Amino acid sequence: MGTRLIHILLAICFPAMATAQGSYATLKLQEIGNLLQQKGNATDKCGIIPLKENHTFKSYEVRTDTSGTVIHIGTPLFARTATASAPSPIYDFVERYMLHMSLLPTHERNRYMADDKVEADLTAVAKIDSMCPFQIWNDEKGIHLTWSRKGENICRIDMPKEIQLIYGKNKIEIEEDFIKQLITTQEKETSGTKISYPSLEHVTATEDSAYYVYKGGSYVIKEMHSDTYFVKNSEQRLIPLQDAKYPSETVSNLFHSLLDGEFILNVTQHLYGNRKISYRVAQNKLHTFCTEQGCKPYIGIESIEKESIKAVVVYENSEFGYNHMLYTEISPTVINNKQGEIKSHIYCYIPTHNLKSLFQEKTKKKQ
């Protein structure tokens, strides 16, 4: 049995060992905490702490929340002024992951990094200090970081766009976080900021000039898109189309949170291990939560019938390679009354390549 598997099983089966000096927010942090404790390093105090034995790095940092739960352990590599001015989970990931790898035997580290598809040279990483300028960018292949000194690159780290890897959370933990954070968003007071609508030069009139289309992008297939729809008001200004005569257009506007009204999603969230949880949430709150995560909504209409409109909403996060997918069934009465409940099912943190493959397979079957 590999060392990596042993660490995971110990964290799951014997959590008391992992939490001897305090509780941890995730199993990954428990694993790192165990490794540090085995080498005589404490994790029950906050701050930057020197590493005891001969080590690749000189120190590690422990952060806790208000209840004392450890929420981060890593080796300091970034200036805190830089991380504060442009927050990103990449910073914590790199510091946590590099410390973790440095605590493992070489053969286990190599296996870990190969499995995670992370490329880095710990010797080069050890040369970094918080004064080194760095760059972060992403492309289709993944996320990349480089550090330089005196104009020359001294270190590079490449990683996949994998949300569980970056957050250091397993499927169960990240799904539970979605619910907790969504509930927190629900409880926040919104200031009702004014939404800006496109101008006439940026929209296209339909053939009968019944309404205008503001073109967005599409997701894999043309039927899944981010188009929004507008009409002119009495002052000849564009306002969102909200009319049961145009159900697909109105539903698209609804899931872009452009409509007036009180629309409540009656959600069944499908979780790892065939588990489910049900809750109610305002549609605009879910929209706000997903867009604040960096997700862009794409809406597709599956069917329009007298009693219901079935739609699919994909919230794509291109930066970290995942999607939330929402299935909904809307009564035309809800649209007409500008209020009511919408039956919904949601699946969270679906890897982008998995979801794109699903849409491509559906398209082939139709053809």
Side-chain angles (χ1 to χ4, degrees), residues 275-304:
R275 296 176 299 125
K276 297 177 184 178
I277 186 171
S278 297
Y279 51 87
R280 296 168 74 254
V281 61
Q283 181 280 323
N284 65 335
K285 296 295 184 183
L286 177 65
H287 175 85
T288 298
F289 173 68
C290 290
T291 53
E292 284 181 351
Q293 279 190 325
C295 299
K296 181 177 180 178
Y298 296 90
I299 294 90
I301 306 300
E302 283 200 337
S303 65
I304 299 174

Side-chain angles (χ1 to χ4, degrees), residues 316-328:
E316 182 201 19
N317 189 300
S318 58
E319 183 178 6
F320 297 124
Y322 70 85
N323 307 266
H324 307 310
M325 185 161 63
L326 183 74
Y327 288 95
T328 66

Side-chain angles (χ1 to χ4, degrees), residues 106-357:
T106 303
H107 70 281
E108 184 65 17
R109 177 194 312 155
N110 293 340
R111 188 182 307 130
Y112 232 115
M113 295 178 72
D115 290 345
D116 293 336
K117 296 181 174 61
V118 174
E119 296 182 11
D121 180 349
L122 258 65
T123 303
V125 176
K127 295 177 182 179
I128 298 169
D129 58 52
S130 60
M131 301 302 292
C132 293
F134 65 91
Q135 289 184 316
I136 301 179
W137 76 98
N138 64 68
D139 54 29
E140 291 182 357
K141 294 181 179 179
I143 301 168
H144 318 279
L145 294 90
T146 56
W147 286 261
S148 60
R149 183 179 287 124
K150 296 180 179 179
E152 293 186 6
N153 287 345
I154 59 172
C155 180
R156 174 168 174 152
I157 297 176
D158 300 292
M159 70 198 76
K161 296 179 180 180
E162 217 299 300
I163 190 67
Q164 289 176 230
L165 173 71
I166 292 166
Y167 278 92
K169 296 175 181 178
N170 60 35
K171 184 69 171 172
I172 294 172
E173 291 169 335
I174 203 165
E175 286 178 339
E176 289 176 349
D177 271 2
F178 179 92
I179 300 167
K180 290 176 184 176
Q181 291 168 17
L182 178 59
I183 290 171
T184 303
T185 301
Q186 244 184 303
E187 293 171 348
K188 289 180 181 177
E189 292 184 6
T190 56
S191 57
T193 54
K194 187 176 180 180
I195 300 172
S196 59
Y197 301 136
S199 54
L200 276 171
E201 59 264 28
H202 294 123
V203 297
T204 304
T206 55
E207 289 185 4
D208 59 359
S209 297
Y211 58 86
Y212 298 84
V213 183
Y214 182 60
K215 296 296 290 183
S218 61
Y219 184 89
V220 186
I221 56 177
K222 64 181 180 180
E223 291 83 3
M224 291 294 305
H225 57 75
S226 57
D227 296 351
T228 47
Y229 305 89
F230 297 86
V231 293
K232 287 182 179 179
N233 64 7
S234 58
E235 298 175 348
Q236 298 300 299
R237 293 181 179 177
L238 291 179
I239 59 172
L241 171 64
Q242 187 168 358
D243 192 335
K245 294 178 183 177
Y246 302 100
S248 62
E249 293 83 356
T250 299
V251 168
S252 289
N253 282 351
L254 168 63
F255 286 105
H256 279 91
S257 284
L258 295 177
L259 302 189
D260 292 326
E262 296 183 6
F263 304 100
I264 304 299
L265 301 179
N266 196 337
V267 179
T268 297
Q269 183 169 338
H270 296 257
L271 306 169
Y272 181 76
N274 294 320
R275 296 176 299 125
K276 297 177 184 178
I277 186 171
S278 297
Y279 51 87
R280 296 168 74 254
V281 61
Q283 181 280 323
N284 65 335
K285 296 295 184 183
L286 177 65
H287 175 85
T288 298
F289 173 68
C290 290
T291 53
E292 284 181 351
Q293 279 190 325
C295 299
K296 181 177 180 178
Y298 296 90
I299 294 90
I301 306 300
E302 283 200 337
S303 65
I304 299 174
E305 298 175 2
K306 185 176 181 180
E307 299 299 325
S308 70
I309 305 158
K310 293 181 180 179
V312 179
V313 186
V314 171
Y315 299 94
E316 182 201 19
N317 189 300
S318 58
E319 183 178 6
F320 297 124
Y322 70 85
N323 307 266
H324 307 310
M325 185 161 63
L326 183 74
Y327 288 95
T328 66
E329 190 171 341
I330 308 162
S331 168
T333 305
V334 171
I335 294 175
N336 287 329
N337 294 343
K338 298 185 179 181
Q339 65 177 1
E341 293 200 357
I342 299 170
K343 183 180 178 181
S344 308
H345 293 262
I346 193 167
Y347 301 80
C348 299
Y349 298 107
I350 306 169
T352 295
H353 56 83
N354 287 3
L355 195 55
K356 285 187 174 181
S357 297

Side-chain angles (χ1 to χ4, degrees), residues 6-22:
I6 291 172
H7 290 157
I8 294 170
L9 290 175
L10 285 174
I12 295 172
C13 300
F14 302 103
M17 292 177 60
T19 58
Q21 296 190 37

Side-chain angles (χ1 to χ4, degrees), residues 11-30:
I12 295 172
C13 300
F14 302 103
M17 292 177 60
T19 58
Q21 296 190 37
S23 61
Y24 298 89
T26 67
L27 289 175
K28 184 61 65 181
L29 291 172
Q30 285 185 352

